Amino acid sequence: MPTYEFLCLKCQKEFTVTMTIRERGEKQPACPTCGSTDLESLFSGVVTKTSRKS
Ligand SMILES: [Zn+2]
């Protein structure tokens, strides 16, 4: 199962949720810390970090 990474916009905590692609489309994950669904999804796995400082 793929792992999805989220950032809670309420408490600014990152957490990961493992669920199927289907679940991802059907469910709205909630922050395990505060229960908020105000999340920003981060991409785990294939992370393309552009840390160029030019
Ligand atoms: Zn939270």
Side-chain angles (χ1 to χ4, degrees):
M1 266 191 273
T3 304
Y4 299 93
E5 207 168 314
F6 294 96
L7 171 69
C8 177
L9 298 176
K10 212 166 188 179
C11 62
Q12 299 294 308
K13 289 210 174 182
E14 286 183 29
F15 61 97
T16 55
V17 177
T18 305
M19 56 184 165
T20 63
I21 293 170
R22 188 177 167 183
E23 281 180 319
R24 174 70 180 94
E26 291 177 348
K27 289 183 186 175
Q28 173 68 36
C31 173
T33 306
C34 70
S36 172
T37 53
D38 197 5
L39 312 171
E40 186 176 305
S41 54
L42 311 170
F43 289 101
S44 59
V46 196
V47 182
T48 49
K49 282 185 180 174
T50 49
S51 55
R52 280 188 295 171
K53 294 177 182 176
S54 55

